[in-house]
Amino acid sequence: MNIKELIVKQFEDGKLAFKNETQIFIALNTHGNEKKAVRDILKKLEADGVILKDRRGAYATPEQFGAVKGTVQSSERGFAFLIPDKREVGQKDFFIPRHALNNAYDGDRVISLRVKGTADEVQVVKILERGYSVITGVFEKSGGAYYVIPDRARFAQRIFIPKDLTLNAKDGDKVAAMITSYPHGKAPGGKVIEILGEEGDFYAEELSIIRSYGLYKEFPKEVERQAAQVAKEPVTLGERRDLRDEFTITIDGDDTRDIDDAVSLKKQGKNYVLGVHIADVSHYVKRGTKLDEEAYKRGTSVYFPDCVIPMLPRSLSNGACSLNPYEDRYALSCIMTIDKNGKRLSSEICESVICSNYRTTYREITALIDGDKAMQEKYPDLSETALLMKELCLKLKDVRDKNGNIDLSVKEAHIYLDEKDEIVIPDVQRTISENIIEQFMISANEAVAEKMSALKAPFMYRIHEQPSPEKVSAFSSFLQTLGVYSGLNPEECKPKDFQRVVLSVSGKPCENAVNKSLLRTMQKARYSDKNYGHFGLASECYCHFTSPIRRYPDLFIHRIIKGYLRGDEREMKNTYLPVAGDEAAHCSLRERNADLAEREVDDLYKLVYMSDRIGEEYEATISGVTAYGVFAELDNTVEGLIRLERLPGGKYEFLEDIYTLRSTDRSFTLGDRIKIRVDGCDWGNMRPEFGLVE
């Protein structure tokens, strides 16, 4: 152990905690020239955020100071919130006033100290890592100087660009700028690294959003080379279980870009034997390689209507790791025995080799189940299995429903480009086939999580915590305005309580509004190295096991699982236990980044779609109520704003607790059905403008 490691250990042990430099010299028995070396180490540790120094010159770790590490989420009004790296059950985000940001910007990872006398306020004391190395925006010349005005409203500062670093961009160009400096009290400095196109051009605007989230299709050359090299390896059985004779199929959407899960199902007496076979990505992506580092950095694949930003190069995601029919593939298989009532009796996980019999789609399996003759001719040996899958699916769903599973039927947009490159946004209805795969994957995720939890393995769980009493109380008040009895106890709510509410509004006009409000009431699911259960699924133990091609947490736990299967428990604990918490926080942030990027691009597509429909009228549901107007959502998920001044009647009062705008003779409440007219497009806020049709 060298002197630096010794100092770090003694800080962690508390032996050097809250000592000043002189006291540390004494504690370490440091003399003469040794003092300079120790002083340099202390400065370096402080610079790296390993230790902090208070106003009295005393050092301690951030944890010993009660500091909170997390990520800054700025608001357009100047203040911000801190999203903690490690969140305890029920813990909220912290508030950061504008004056307490200390040159931190949106997306920065920081260390903050709690402000005495406040419940949730913190101030930034150290910036560990900048959130954005690249900012997209509009290039502008102003008074002889050059700037990039960020698209991202939360990044409120314009970027100063020296004249020789403009890349010959012109006024009005959409550009990507790399930030090179963060001078205190001044505009950040940068340089233009990419010209994306002219402001207002559709593809330039889409690319600008994608770049603003730090997303690139292209992989570093070394990563592509490694992927191509390992993808060429022949599939051999070795000590794996040979499941190639099992009747196995994949079921995905028509436009699915990666096929990483397959299923098999058969009867064994009165029981069902369900196999969920997941591409063994960990065989190809070894920890510590450039390929793994890039996958971890990306964290997840990101899906847009016209393209995908993959987590792994195509030679793996669409090649060696894709469970194509008639091709031997490495898999990690979870094989479950389930009784006639849908209760799982046993499960085992094994390394396997599979060979999928068919690549099918949700549309095809639904047609088979419905008795479609043409589909039965196409898949003559699949009809019986498809019906068996439906049978088991309904039994699994029944068990989950009895446990309190909250099944929210909130519509999700399915946007795509047709053969003419025109935007299509259809009304999407879930079919039995989507439910089959959902139930089978949930079963495997639970089985794997429970098995690894029982082994007390270092692990990455998918958790969903109980909603806060404040949000439950607000939701209950909203339900009262709709005449919906909830019976919710904000202090002790259970999944069954929310399930009862969802069932009570099923099929009613207010159903979508109630489900959306409930979704906002819920906590956001995240990854954690500790198991707190999954509230929404009414599951005591849950993980993400089924998509290692596109999600790093799945890849992470595949390695742990294989370590235990091979008897490497000590190595797994030593290798993964110290990093599981940090990796969980990182993966949660990358997931959030992807969700926001996908949502913004979807909003752009929706706005372009509606720009061709000015003057058209539609039925809609009020999906949001604010002091400045009401939001209305069409049946295809497009949402627009009817501004307050365009509403009929006199002066309106905003009743925030019950999501209502009310005047003397009219009121608008969340969930109301109305008829709207498309009046225009607000490109700045990326949303359509609606008018009310009386």
Side-chain angles (χ1 to χ4, degrees):
M1 184 181 295
N2 60 36
I3 184 63
K4 180 180 177 182
E5 292 170 340
L6 175 66
I7 291 173
V8 170
K9 187 175 187 308
Q10 293 209 10
F11 268 114
E12 291 173 347
D13 292 344
K15 295 177 182 177
L16 298 181
F18 303 105
K19 295 184 184 295
N20 60 30
E21 192 178 88
T22 301
Q23 292 168 326
I24 290 173
F25 290 156
I26 294 171
L28 296 175
N29 196 25
T30 306
H31 302 285
N33 294 334
E34 294 174 342
K35 291 183 179 181
K36 181 181 183 306
V38 171
R39 187 178 291 116
D40 289 343
I41 290 171
L42 292 174
K43 287 180 179 178
K44 181 68 168 63
L45 293 175
E46 185 185 0
D48 292 342
V50 178
I51 58 174
L52 300 176
K53 183 167 69 171
D54 66 15
R55 293 176 180 177
R56 300 170 300 167
Y59 293 93
T61 66
E63 292 75 18
Q64 289 161 348
F65 274 120
V68 182
K69 291 182 181 179
T71 302
V72 174
Q73 185 181 87
S74 298
S75 77
E76 296 176 25
R77 291 187 284 174
F79 59 81
F81 295 94
L82 182 75
I83 302 171
D85 283 353
K86 298 181 180 180
R87 191 194 303 264
E88 298 301 322
V89 175
Q91 185 182 58
K92 301 178 183 177
D93 297 337
F94 294 93
F95 176 71
I96 313 175
R98 183 198 296 262
H99 68 268
L101 281 165
N102 290 328
N103 210 37
Y105 291 90
D106 183 61
D108 290 353
R109 190 160 174 271
V110 302
I111 298 176
S112 295
L113 287 173
R114 298 189 185 218
V115 177
K116 291 182 179 178
T118 68
D120 63 351
E121 191 173 313
V122 296
Q123 62 178 357
V124 176
V125 294
K126 185 160 195 65
I127 297 168
L128 296 173
E129 182 182 357
R130 290 293 182 180
Y132 302 105
S133 57
V134 174
I135 289 286
T136 61
V138 180
F139 185 80
E140 179 183 277
K141 183 179 180 181
S142 176
Y146 301 91
Y147 296 93
V148 171
I149 311 303
D151 291 330
R152 191 178 294 277
R154 287 178 177 171
F155 199 96
Q157 278 278 15
R158 59 184 183 174
I159 314 299
F160 171 71
I161 309 293
K163 186 176 181 179
D164 58 341
L165 298 177
T166 63
L167 211 64
N168 296 321
K170 304 186 298 293
D171 254 1
D173 278 349
K174 277 279 185 176
V175 301
M178 178 179 288
I179 302 176
T180 56
S181 64
Y182 285 90
H184 212 289
K186 296 181 181 180
K191 63 179 182 180
V192 176
I193 58 171
E194 187 177 5
I195 298 174
L196 307 174
E198 294 182 8
E199 183 182 14
D201 175 78
F202 174 70
Y203 290 104
E205 295 292 342
E206 181 184 18
L207 186 57
S208 180
I209 294 171
I210 292 171
R211 288 288 186 269
S212 74
Y213 285 93
L215 302 173
Y216 292 85
K217 275 187 181 180
E218 300 76 16
F219 288 85
K221 289 183 179 179
E222 176 61 18
V223 172
E224 288 277 15
R225 187 195 65 77
Q226 277 188 10
Q229 184 176 355
V230 296
K232 292 177 183 176
E233 296 176 5
V235 175
T236 57
L237 186 60
E239 297 182 3
R240 291 173 176 265
R241 186 175 302 180
D242 190 349
L243 298 178
R244 288 173 291 185
D245 289 336
E246 289 288 330
F247 187 76
T248 305
I249 64 171
T250 62
I251 311 174
D252 295 283
D254 288 281
D255 57 350
T256 295
R257 284 120 170 185
D258 40 47
I259 307 172
D260 56 2
D261 58 84
V263 293
S264 59
L265 182 64
K266 60 187 177 184
K267 287 295 285 285
Q268 194 174 75
K270 293 183 179 180
N271 296 330
Y272 303 86
V273 179
L274 170 64
V276 174
H277 313 280
I278 307 302
D280 187 0
V281 179
S282 63
H283 175 84
Y284 299 97
V285 185
K286 305 296 186 187
R287 189 171 183 86
T289 61
K290 293 292 183 184
L291 184 55
D292 178 52
E293 289 173 4
E294 184 67 18
Y296 176 70
K297 177 183 173 183
R298 295 182 178 224
T300 181
S301 296
V302 193
Y303 298 90
F304 302 112
D306 63 337
C307 68
V308 59
I309 309 290
M311 186 179 80
L312 297 171
R314 287 179 60 85
S315 55
L316 290 176
S317 61
N318 295 96
C321 295
S322 190
L323 304 181
N324 302 322
Y326 322 121
E327 296 180 7
D328 290 357
R329 287 290 186 262
Y330 290 129
L332 208 54
S333 296
C334 179
I335 301 169
M336 295 160 278
T337 301
I338 300 166
D339 72 12
K340 63 180 181 179
N341 297 315
K343 180 182 178 182
R344 179 168 21 95
L345 300 175
S346 65
S347 66
E348 67 168 321
I349 313 168
C350 64
E351 295 180 71
S352 64
V353 175
I354 69 166
C355 184
S356 172
N357 295 80
Y358 292 121
R359 174 181 178 176
T360 69
T361 67
Y362 296 129
R363 177 179 49 80
E364 291 174 327
I365 296 299
T366 298
L368 267 178
I369 290 171
D370 291 342
D372 183 272
K373 298 297 183 185
M375 209 55 66
Q376 288 174 344
E377 290 177 8
K378 182 176 180 180
Y379 299 112
D381 54 348
L382 189 48
S383 293
E384 186 177 338
T385 300
L387 289 171
L388 192 63
M389 287 179 172
K390 176 186 176 181
E391 182 181 297
L392 178 58
C393 165
L394 296 177
K395 291 184 178 183
L396 291 172
K397 186 177 186 304
D398 185 55
V399 170
R400 297 192 197 294
D401 288 345
K402 287 177 180 176
N403 289 337
N405 173 58
I406 304 169
D407 188 7
L408 293 178
S409 56
V410 176
K411 290 183 178 180
E412 295 182 6
H414 179 69
I415 306 171
Y416 65 91
L417 299 177
D418 64 14
E419 61 277 1
K420 297 178 182 178
D421 273 349
E422 292 182 355
I423 299 171
V424 181
I425 310 179
D427 292 350
V428 178
Q429 299 295 329
R430 285 172 60 82
T431 67
I432 183 63
S433 299
E434 281 95 345
N435 286 324
I436 286 171
I437 291 302
E438 179 181 41
Q439 292 299 327
F440 290 1
M441 296 303 125
I442 289 174
S443 296
N445 287 336
E446 279 187 327
V448 169
E450 289 172 12
K451 191 170 289 288
M452 301 310 290
S453 178
L455 289 169
K456 297 189 177 354
F459 206 58
M460 192 182 294
Y461 298 93
R462 181 67 170 177
I463 66 167
H464 185 224
E465 295 142 291
Q466 182 175 320
S468 69
E470 295 84 1
K471 285 194 172 184
V472 176
S473 181
F475 178 60
S476 186
S477 297
F478 165 61
L479 292 174
Q480 287 179 10
T481 68
L482 299 178
V484 176
Y485 173 73
S486 71
L488 293 172
N489 180 349
E491 300 296 333
E492 294 183 13
C493 58
K494 293 180 172 57
K496 273 185 175 292
D497 300 329
F498 289 105
Q499 182 195 61
R500 186 176 61 251
V501 171
V502 171
L503 292 174
S504 72
V505 298
S506 179
K508 296 181 179 179
C510 65
E511 178 182 11
N512 198 46
V514 169
N515 286 349
K516 277 199 164 187
S517 181
L518 176 53
L519 196 60
R520 286 192 286 264
T521 301
M522 296 284 198
Q523 300 271 23
K524 184 170 176 57
R526 62 188 176 93
Y527 298 105
S528 172
D529 58 325
K530 296 180 176 62
N531 177 32
Y532 297 124
H534 196 294
F535 186 86
L537 293 173
S539 176
E540 294 182 359
C541 196
Y542 197 70
C543 73
H544 273 171
F545 162 76
T546 54
S547 292
I549 282 180
R550 63 183 180 91
R551 291 190 306 227
Y552 196 86
D554 305 53
L555 172 58
F556 179 88
I557 68 171
H558 273 220
R559 292 184 181 131
I560 297 173
I561 293 165
K562 288 170 69 174
Y564 275 88
L565 291 176
R566 296 173 180 180
D568 297 334
E569 295 188 28
R570 180 176 298 179
E571 181 183 346
M572 289 298 103
K573 287 181 178 178
N574 291 340
T575 303
Y576 293 100
L577 194 56
V579 299
D582 290 339
E583 297 215 358
H586 168 81
C587 290
S588 295
L589 285 172
R590 296 312 301 165
E591 177 189 41
R592 177 178 175 78
N593 189 70
D595 288 345
L596 292 172
E598 289 171 352
R599 195 178 308 155
E600 279 196 36
V601 169
D602 279 357
D603 286 345
L604 173 65
Y605 273 78
K606 290 177 181 180
L607 195 59
V608 172
Y609 177 82
M610 296 308 292
S611 69
D612 292 332
R613 289 159 175 78
I614 306 296
E616 294 186 11
E617 298 179 358
Y618 297 89
E619 295 292 325
T621 303
I622 293 180
S623 55
V625 182
T626 71
Y628 53 85
V630 298
F631 288 90
E633 184 180 86
L634 310 188
D635 293 336
N636 65 358
T637 75
V638 173
E639 186 178 60
L641 174 68
I642 307 174
R643 295 186 179 276
L644 186 66
E645 57 268 23
R646 293 184 182 176
L647 293 175
K651 185 178 180 181
Y652 281 85
E653 179 186 8
F654 176 43
L655 307 174
E656 185 175 5
D657 290 346
I658 56 174
Y659 306 96
T660 298
L661 271 176
R662 181 183 295 164
S663 70
T664 53
D665 56 355
R666 286 296 298 266
S667 69
F668 296 91
T669 300
L670 199 68
D672 288 352
R673 287 291 284 181
I674 58 175
K675 192 171 185 179
I676 64 93
R677 179 186 60 254
V678 183
D679 284 348
C681 292
D682 180 353
W683 293 94
N685 288 305
M686 206 67 75
R687 65 188 176 217
E689 292 277 351
F690 292 160
L692 186 70
V693 177
E694 292 285 12

